[in-house]
């Protein structure tokens, strides 16, 4: 009697274990396939092979959500910022005050992740009025690693220029305030898009500004942004650094 | 009596399950940490944020091995090649025979993965004589996706130029043979590094060749390579495409 009960229980347990494992395997097979596509898509985006995309493909939603919220984004950012700091540490800064760096603002110095979380991490179409309302809150948190870089650059005596596509007429004050409350203090200039550059691509607008800075005598040692359009065109600086951003594309 | 036996068995099973899960979790925590670093390093390499590296960091070995051997590399390649084909399909090819594409050879058209597998996927230092002996076998298999692209370009009437850093004096014949046996048939020209370009960086050598082609009248529509040095410098072509390669870096 006892033996048959034990046999029965053993069989039940075996069936249960098999069932749980098969459910797990089915799930993970599906997840793996979506994750593999997400990895491929994100690599293609970050290497600028996929251009001009308007939204994140729906089948990449889970992957991008996990990437942005699960810690990997911060790890990726940190490794790149470590590289930037190593490069910057090898530059000898002259006493003339003309050794410069250019940093982009959105999703370089300060983060829009919490805004994009509500937009399904970029799977939903860009909504200019909603995004402007978010900017006007002045609540973008600092990207910790980039704030660390900024402080190191200032300490070394570099002149740091923030160069952003934000609109000068409406966003100058809130952007300056947001950067200040997040600890970006001591920079040389905050440059926003003025009337003169309206309608231009980011590449053309940012190239024009960098050219002006070079004409003023600045030597641009580094140029850091999350968009390829920050890092293409003219007067790019001696080195460019591409930070990750799989949520949106600006041409 | 029966009840106590059942209770005993139940407790034993619970302990067993807990033990198995904890072992699994410990393993996966360690694996995840290595994998996270590997992901960060590979992204930084592919976006050209990490430059001039001589070997793959040892702690990335498992990640790179899994990436190159586990199917993700081929998936990444396929997504990028799909983008290239889409771009190429929108170009109207003129009848003058001057619409051109430039493809790199090693780890673009044909693959050195099986060689690098024996070099711990790039964790071991580059050994020029071993690599030359591998090349002389003429056994590099085609990258399937790139062979597909090549055939589509030829069908469309583009002139395809292979541009490689391989040495013309010693590797011309074996490279032509290797490409031929792998199905790369009907290209315009196979260009290797001649005496004139010895000692130059890949960027300078390849820029010089592309400039010559443009001077001959060719319009370079696309330029495809696994190294950033294929895609930087002068006369880059209207679009460049970066294929993945976390195994080695050529400046």
């Amino acid at each position: 009697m006892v033996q048959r009960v034990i046999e029965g229980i053993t069989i039940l347990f075996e069936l249960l274990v098999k069932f749980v494992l098969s459910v797990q395997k089915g799930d993970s097979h599906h997840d793996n396939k979506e994750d593999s596509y997400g990895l491929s898509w994100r690599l293609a985006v970050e290497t600028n092979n996929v251009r001009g995309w308007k939204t994140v493909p729906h089948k990449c939603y889970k992957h991008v959500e996990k990437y942005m919220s699960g810690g990997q984004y911060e790890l990726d950012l940190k490794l790149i910022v470590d590289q930037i700091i190593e490069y910057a540490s090898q530059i000898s800064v002259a006493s003339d005050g003309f050794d410069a760096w250019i940093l982009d603002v959105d999703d370089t110095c300060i983060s829009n992740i919490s805004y994009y979380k509500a937009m399904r991490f970029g799977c939903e179409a860009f909504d200019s009025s909603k995004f402007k309302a978010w900017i006007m809150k002045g609540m973008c948190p600092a990207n910790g690693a980039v704030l660390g870089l900024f402080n190191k650059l200032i300490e070394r005596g570099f002149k740091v220029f923030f160069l952003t596509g934000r609109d000068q007429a409406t966003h100058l004050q809130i952007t300056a305030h947001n950067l200040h409350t997040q600890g970006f203090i001591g920079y040389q200039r905050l440059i926003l898009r003025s009337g003169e550059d309206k309608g231009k691509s980011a590449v053309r607008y940012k190239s024009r500004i960098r050219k002006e800075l070079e004409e003023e005598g600045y030597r641009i040692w580094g140029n850091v942004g999350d968009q390829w359009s920050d890092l293409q065109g003219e007067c790019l600086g001696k080195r460019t650094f591409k930070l990750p951003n799989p949520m949106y594309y600006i041409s």
Side-chain angles (χ1 to χ4, degrees), chain A residues 190-235:
Chain A
L190 165 61
I191 304 163
L192 293 90
R193 190 192 282 259
S194 67
E196 172 181 5
D197 292 307
K198 266 203 173 164
K200 276 187 193 166
S201 70
V203 171
R204 277 188 63 208
Y205 152 57
K206 293 194 168 183
S207 290
R208 188 185 75 73
I209 300 290
R210 288 190 304 262
K211 201 173 174 198
E212 268 185 22
L213 294 177
E214 288 195 354
E215 282 164 4
E216 286 181 44
Y218 288 103
R219 298 175 290 272
I220 304 173
W221 286 94
N223 179 7
V224 184
D226 65 298
Q227 298 290 323
W228 280 101
S229 54
D230 298 328
L231 312 174
Q232 292 182 323
E234 291 176 82
C235 306

Side-chain angles (χ1 to χ4, degrees), chain A residues 8-77:
Chain A
I9 292 172
T10 309
I11 290 168
L12 277 176
F13 264 105
E14 279 174 359
L15 286 173
L16 187 70
V17 167
K18 274 185 190 164
F19 174 71
V20 169
L21 286 178
S22 75
V23 168
Q24 258 189 346
K25 202 178 166 188
D27 277 2
S28 85
H29 179 71
H30 181 74
D31 287 356
N32 284 348
K33 221 173 150 184
E34 276 202 340
D35 208 46
S36 286
Y37 185 82
L39 277 168
S40 292
W41 182 80
R42 191 158 56 76
L43 180 71
V45 160
E46 295 296 358
T47 50
N48 207 23
N49 286 313
V50 175
R51 299 181 187 181
W53 48 281
K54 301 288 182 199
T55 52
V56 172
H58 284 289
K59 67 171 169 172
C60 297
Y61 170 61
K62 273 191 187 171
H63 174 80
V64 174
E65 178 192 38
K66 191 177 141 201
Y67 175 67
M68 296 306 296
S69 311
Q72 190 64 42
Y73 167 72
E74 281 81 3
L75 290 173
D76 289 359
L77 207 59

Side-chain angles (χ1 to χ4, degrees), chain A residues 97-116:
Chain A
F98 279 99
D99 292 304
W101 277 73
I102 297 193
L103 306 186
D104 170 54
V105 173
D106 285 293
D107 295 299
T108 297
C109 292
I110 52 179
S111 172
N112 294 304
I113 296 178
S114 62
Y115 171 78
Y116 273 91

Side-chain angles (χ1 to χ4, degrees), chain A residues 106 128-129 131-138 164-178 190-195 198 205:
Chain A
D106 285 293
S128 150
S129 59
F131 186 65
K132 280 176 184 163
W134 156 255
I135 284 181
M136 289 310 290
K137 288 184 181 171
T164 170
R166 288 187 178 194
D167 178 50
Q168 185 167 21
T170 50
H171 296 143
L172 172 58
Q173 285 191 335
I174 195 70
T175 306
H177 174 76
N178 197 152
L190 165 61
I191 304 163
L192 293 90
R193 190 192 282 259
S194 67
K198 266 203 173 164
Y205 152 57

